[in-house]
Each structure stands twice: as structure tokens, then as C-alpha cells.
């Protein structure tokens, strides 16, 4: 074969075939590589296809405040991205491939930025808010939802903002969340504080539509750390932490919101089937394992602190066996899950 003939054959592959291959790639980094082969391949591979993509676990580097560390579940590799604009910042959550960050551990300067494209979007300063975090899921592009407290007040709020808005839209809640969780889904707001009924309300009018009795108390210490929607179902996830021989062990109890006898109740479930749950400090979301080759469902991906070695441990818990394994090659701080996105706009 003459020199150059092979490259002509590669570049002459049908555009639709290249596009089809790219939609089967599980990791966005693979799509970046295939776009780098030649101009024709680049034009054939869209950066915004809605094909399923596994999340990256992103964090600030422990030693370099201007570097972002991410762990790819697909490649099982840890990589770093140099991003000096985010020096001394910490992460509040992600939305549509963008990370919401705060400078210098305060809400004085916050922004949305995409570590893959370098695009940074200014976000209005929520001056009256404190201790807030993102509660919208990382797939959501058109609406960013945060939950937090009002300065010098015992009130809890939900803040909403869309790309291009000049100010936050505030929905004050009629309760103070201490160990509670909030879910914003399909125009509805679901709020749960441990040991109290779950409040279900209209997200716009804030009117209470129904209350759901709390789940039965467990003999083990627990807190309602997460609430999420998956496949049209609402799940409430409790965490249990125990210490055995000075080692921290974490277990989970999951309830599903079901209609029983004409009223809604929290019903304990033993497994989540084909789904994989992803948890960070306050947020949670789910994916179907069958959408990704080599991954199994009925698992929870989460992280915990290794205070002795000053690092984070990314873990996978198998609900069927009740066992937890530590995934290798990761350490960092201010961590969250991100759905990687090469789009140039939010």
C-alpha cells in the first residue's frame, strides 16, 4: 500500500458511519480523539449528540488550586485540567456540563464554567443568600436550582435562574431545613425533613398539594440525605454510618413514593434494578446501567472522606450483596459529579 493511501481510505469512510460509531463511544474523551483524526471526521461527529454519557467525578486538586482533577468511570483513569481562572474556588454543583463555583469560600463571586471548553458564564451575585448548594440535576441546562438559607433569617429558600437572567427568582419555603432534602421536578417541589411528613407543593404558587407520612424510623442512626426522580419515580435515600475498628462503614436504605390505598406512602425497596445512583455531598441522580457496556445496575456510586490521609475515596456500593468497594486512582476536594459537555453554550 503506497504512503498516504491508508489515510485517504480512512478519510473516505461514509460520514454517517463515523457519526454512528461516535454515538456508541461511552466516554467523551473518545469523541474528542475521533474528532482529531481529520477535518471530515470532525465535521461528522457532533459535540452535542444526546447519546448517553457516563458522568465524571470532578474535584479541585489537593495540592494545586488551579487544577481540576476528574475521574472517568469509562476509562477508569484520572486526568487533570489546568484552569487558573478557578484558583482558590470551590464547587457547589454542576448543570449541563458546567460547574457552579464560588471564589474564596464565599458567595461574593460565583460563576458557571466548562472545564473542557474554557467557557465561563457570569451568574448574578446572590448577596442575601448563604450556605447554598445546587439541587438541580447535572443534566439540566435550561434551569439552575439552588437550595439554601437567607442571611440573618431562619428561612430556607429555593433559588432559580435561567441562562441570561439578571436576577434570581426566589421561592421561600415555610420551613427550616436542618437535615432535610429538596427535589425540584416537573413543576413540583418535594421537601423532606427527617422524622416529619414530606411536603409536596406547586413550585410556582408554593401551595401545599399533599403531605406524605414519614417513613418508619430505623434502629440505626440515619438522615435523609438524598431525594431524586428516576424513571418517573421519586426515591428517598437514607445513609447510615457506623465505625468498625476505627473504619467508617456506610450503608443505605431506599424508599419509593407509591400510591397505596388512594394515598401516597414511602415504601421501602430492596433494590433499584437496572439503575445506577450517583451521590455527592447533597445531590443525586440516576442512569440506566444497560445504556453502558460493562456496567451493572443496583449500585450506588458515592464518595467519603479519608481523614487520616486527607483525601476522598470514590466508592461503589452493591445493594444486592451489601458490599462496598473503593474505586482506584482518585483524591481531591470540593468534589461533585459532572456530565461532560463540549458544547460552547449552556
Amino acid at each position: 500500500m503506497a504512503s498516504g493511501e491508508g489515510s485517504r481510505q480512512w478519510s473516505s469512510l461514509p460520514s454517517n458511519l463515523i457519526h454512528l460509531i461516535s454515538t456508541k463511544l461511552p466516554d467523551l474523551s473518545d469523541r474528542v480523539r475521533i474528532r482529531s483524526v481529520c477535518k471530515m471526521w470532525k465535521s461528522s461527529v457532533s459535540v452535542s449528540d444526546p447519546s448517553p454519557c457516563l458522568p465524571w467525578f470532578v474535584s479541585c486538586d489537593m495540592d494545586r488550586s488551579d487544577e481540576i482533577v476528574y475521574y472517568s468511570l469509562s476509562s477508569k483513569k484520572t486526568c487533570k485540567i489546568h484552569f487558573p481562572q478557578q484558583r482558590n474556588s470551590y464547587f457547589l454543583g454542576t448543570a449541563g456540563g458546567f460547574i457552579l463555583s464560588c471564589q474564596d469560600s464565599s458567595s461574593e463571586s460565583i460563576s458557571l464554567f466548562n472545564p473542557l471548553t474554557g467557557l465561563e458564564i457570569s451568574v448574578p451575585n446572590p448577596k442575601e443568600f448563604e450556605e447554598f448548594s445546587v439541587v438541580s440535576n447535572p443534566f439540566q441546562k435550561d434551569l439552575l436550582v439552588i437550595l439554601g438559607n437567607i442571611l440573618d433569617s431562619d428561612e430556607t429558600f429555593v433559588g432559580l435562574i435561567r441562562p441570561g437572567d439578571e436576577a434570581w427568582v426566589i421561592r421561600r419555603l415555610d420551613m427550616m431545613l436542618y437535615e432535610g432534602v429538596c427535589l425540584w421536578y416537573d413543576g413540583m417541589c418535594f421537601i423532606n425533613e427527617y422524622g416529619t411528613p414530606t411536603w409536596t407543593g406547586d413550585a410556582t404558587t408554593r401551595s401545599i398539594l399533599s403531605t406524605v407520612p414519614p417513613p418508619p424510623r430505623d434502629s440505626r442512626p440515619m438522615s435523609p440525605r438524598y431525594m431524586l426522580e428516576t424513571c418517573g419515580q421519586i426515591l428517598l435515600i437514607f445513609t447510615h454510618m457506623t465505625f468498625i475498628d476505627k473504619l467508617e462503614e456506610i450503608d443505605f436504605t431506599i424508599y419509593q413514593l407509591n400510591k397505596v390505598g388512594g394515598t401516597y406512602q414511602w415504601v421501602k425497596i430492596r433494590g433499584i434494578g437496572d439503575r445506577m445512583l450517583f451521590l455527592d455531598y447533597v445531590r443525586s441522580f440516576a442512569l440506566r446501567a444497560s445504556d453502558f457496556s460493562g456496567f451493572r445496575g443496583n449500585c450506588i456510586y458515592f464518595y467519603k472522606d479519608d481523614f487520616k490521609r486527607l483525601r476522598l475515596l470514590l466508592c461503589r456500593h452493591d445493594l444486592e450483596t451489601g458490599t462496598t468497594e473503593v474505586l482506584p486512582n482518585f483524591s481531591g476536594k470540593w468534589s461533585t459529579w459532572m456530565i461532560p459537555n463540549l458544547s460552547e453554550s449552556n
Side-chain angles (χ1 to χ4, degrees), residues 29-48:
S29 58
D30 297 325
R31 187 169 296 189
V32 173
R33 294 185 183 97
I34 199 173
R35 281 170 52 87
S36 303
V37 172
C38 63
K39 291 183 179 180
M40 197 277 285
W41 282 33
K42 183 176 181 179
S43 63
S44 302
V45 179
S46 171
V47 298
S48 56

Side-chain angles (χ1 to χ4, degrees), residues 197-211:
T198 301
W199 180 86
T200 303
D202 186 280
T204 302
T205 64
R206 290 180 291 166
S207 58
I208 297 178
L209 301 181
S210 64
T211 56

